[in-house]
Each structure stands twice: as structure tokens, then as C-alpha cells.
């Protein structure tokens, strides 16, 4: 287990499973299980419906959203916000991401990673924040649509930041 959220999720499942026979009659167990599965499926469908919208970023990156795994990396650059934003778009395209969803005013980029054997999909948010001294900070946020990841979102983030640093080397 990587963090407290993962441990709490496993503990909650074990406690609920242990208490279910005491809380509910035996003939209700299948109904309760079916209702739980239906609620999880509805929640996941709602989650996936807003995947392409930048306005859903707060929902996906919220610490209260226990059905997603988040990864945040930050890196400071000695470039202005506009230059770094253009370079981030360029590096994302170079990394193979085709359909970038861009908000120029907020300097925010959304990339959707496809479903694979390691992940149920992933949203990648790249935000460029300006600093007082003319420098900028790049914030890379990865949201995987599952409770536990196999390191795919961390690998994507590390690769992206390494490519960003390399892109400025002449």
C-alpha cells in the first residue's frame, strides 16, 4: 500500500464485510451487494462523463475523491509563463499526446490517457503558474481512475518533466 487512503479503503472493505452479517438479515446480503455495485458503476459513469472538461478538474483532484489516485509534481523554471506554456504544449505533443484540451487564460492543459492494462484511464493536467520574479512554476497533476495504480502515472510524470528539462538544453 502506498498511502493512508489505500489502507483505509482496504480496512473499510474488511470491516463492512465482517459487520454485514450482523447488521443485515441473510436474505438482504445479495440486495445490498447489488445496490453497492450499481452505485459504484453510476459514480464511475458520472466520473467518466466529465473527463474531457476542464471544469471538472477540482472534482478529480480533490482529496475527498477516494476512487481516484492523484500524483502531483512541481518544477520551477527560469522562463516567463507564456514561454513555458508554449513549451509544455510542444513537449506533450512530442510525447505522443494528440488531443490537448487547452485553456489559454488559465494556462491549463488537459490530456486524456487511454485505458490500458495498467490503468483505467488517466487525466493529466499541466498548469503554468507565474511567479513574482518573472519565473514560472509547472504543476503536473495526474489523476488515475482507480484506487491503486501500478506506477504508470508516476512514470508519465517523471518522463514529462525530464523531457521538459531536456527541451530547454541547447
Amino acid at each position: 500500500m502506498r498511502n493512508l487512503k489505500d489502507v483505509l479503503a482496504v480496512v473499510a472493505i474488511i470491516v463492512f464485510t465482517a459487520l454485514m452479517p450482523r447488521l443485515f438479515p441473510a436474505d438482504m446480503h445479495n440486495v445490498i451487494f447489488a445496490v453497492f455495485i450499481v452505485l459504484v458503476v453510476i459514480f464511475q459513469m458520472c466520473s467518466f462523463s466529465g473527463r474531457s472538461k476542464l471544469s471538472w478538474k477540482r472534482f478529480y483532484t480533490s482529496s475527498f475523491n477516494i476512487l481516484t489516485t492523484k500524483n502531483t509534481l512541481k518544477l520551477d523554471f527560469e522562463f516567463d509563463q507564456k514561454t513555458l506554456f508554449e513549451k509544455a504544449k510542444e513537449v506533450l505533443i512530442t510525447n505522443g499526446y494528440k488531443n490537448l484540451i487547452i485553456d489559454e487564460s488559465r494556462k491549463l492543459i488537459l490530456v486524456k490517457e487511454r485505458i490500458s492494462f495498467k490503468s483505467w484511464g488517466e487525466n493529466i493536467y499541466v498548469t503554468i503558474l507565474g511567479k513574482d520574479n518573472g519565473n514560472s512554476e509547472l504543476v503536473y497533476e495526474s489523476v488515475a481512475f482507480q484506487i491503486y495504480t501500478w506506477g504508470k502515472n508516476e512514470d508519465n510524470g517523471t518522463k514529462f518533466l525530464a523531457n521538459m528539462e531536456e527541451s530547454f538544453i541547447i
Side-chain angles (χ1 to χ4, degrees), residues 34-169:
V35 167
F36 175 75
I37 294 298
V38 167
L39 289 175
V40 168
V41 168
I42 290 171
F43 178 80
Q44 287 291 39
M45 288 173 58
C46 291
S47 292
F48 279 114
S49 70
R51 234 185 123 188
S52 298
K53 298 177 181 147
L54 288 170
S55 59
W56 281 60
K57 179 184 177 208
R58 287 184 65 194
F59 169 75
Y60 292 126
T61 58
S62 170
S63 60
F64 297 109
N65 188 344
I66 62 169
L67 295 178
T68 60
T69 300
K70 296 123 200 83
N71 181 36
T72 303
L73 302 169
K74 297 179 180 182
L75 199 58
D76 290 326
F77 287 91
E78 295 180 355
F79 295 97
D80 63 287
Q81 193 177 16
K82 183 179 178 185
T83 304
L84 189 57
F85 185 68
E86 293 302 319
K87 186 55 91 170
K89 288 191 292 189
E90 177 186 314
V91 169
L92 285 168
I93 291 169
T94 303
N95 282 354
Y97 299 113
K98 296 177 184 172
N99 300 321
L100 305 180
I101 300 167
I102 300 169
D103 183 348
E104 294 279 344
S105 63
R106 295 189 318 179
K107 302 291 188 242
L108 175 62
I109 304 168
L110 165 62
V111 177
K112 295 186 315 181
E113 184 77 29
R114 288 188 246 167
I115 295 173
S116 69
F117 287 110
K118 288 186 177 182
S119 171
W120 282 41
E122 182 178 5
N123 274 9
I124 298 170
Y125 298 97
V126 176
T127 310
I128 309 300
L129 304 171
K131 293 192 167 187
D132 294 337
N133 55 3
N135 295 342
S136 299
E137 178 181 45
L138 185 143
V139 180
Y140 177 95
E141 295 172 289
S142 173
V143 179
F145 296 101
Q146 57 205 40
I147 294 174
Y148 184 78
T149 65
W150 302 99
K152 183 175 183 283
N153 54 350
E154 290 91 350
D155 293 344
N156 288 342
T158 305
K159 177 183 169 187
F160 171 72
L161 292 180
N163 290 344
M164 277 296 293
E165 288 180 328
E166 280 181 25
S167 71
F168 287 108
I169 297 173

